[in-house]
Amino acid sequence: MSAPGLVIFDCDGVLVDSEPISMRELTRAINAVDVEMSEREVSTVYAGGTLEAIQRDVSLRRGGPLPSGWIDDFYSARAEAFARELRPVAGARETVEAVQRLGWETCIASQARVVKMEQTLVLTDLADLFPPERVFSATMVRRPKPAPDLFVHAARECGWEPDACIVVEDSVTGVRGARAAGMRVLGYAARNRPEDEAMMLSAAGAQIVRDMREVPGRVAV
């Protein structure tokens, strides 16, 4: 019996609860080079973006190039914080396993580098759910989210057409990319997050889920 389709999971904020840690450490790094931004502002402006684009924007706000090694120092501080604090998103494992039991194939498509995903998935005991050939990074395509390239690439590599794919995302950037690829999108907006996040995901074209454990039921519809 063939699978009904492919469920594509984002990683940060969907499977691993890394976004609060990443935004906190990014805020520290930005303020350390005399660019004053609050953590809320950093999250609003940069969530879902690539670090290369973030680095360019911070340079513009600073009015000049960033110190040598700035991005490497951020990577190091974030990795140390992940090792101390990182946890899976509540219900992430049971959600992926339930989707797989329903017969759907699964993969990951993230803006993050593969090495970062390897670290976060191991730290959260989720690595066994996704073999390496089912982990896709924006570094593998020409244009990152919100372009559709990464989602189209992931679907193609897994042997599926876009209309047979469902994407689980937590950022407007990701939702726009998935919709541009012609895919249905479930937008994860945890109940403890600001209500405007759910509104923005919905406006971008996502069907909202407030608990990751709602995903299998939505997929089965």
Side-chain angles (χ1 to χ4, degrees), residues 141 143-154 176-183:
V141 295
R143 300 179 300 171
K145 306 171 189 177
D149 303 29
L150 177 58
F151 295 110
V152 172
H153 174 70
R176 287 174 176 164
R179 293 297 296 155
M183 299 176 182

Side-chain angles (χ1 to χ4, degrees), residues 144-168:
K145 306 171 189 177
D149 303 29
L150 177 58
F151 295 110
V152 172
H153 174 70
R156 183 186 303 117
E157 289 296 306
C158 294
W160 291 96
E161 294 297 322
D163 60 3
C165 299
I166 299 174
V167 176
V168 186

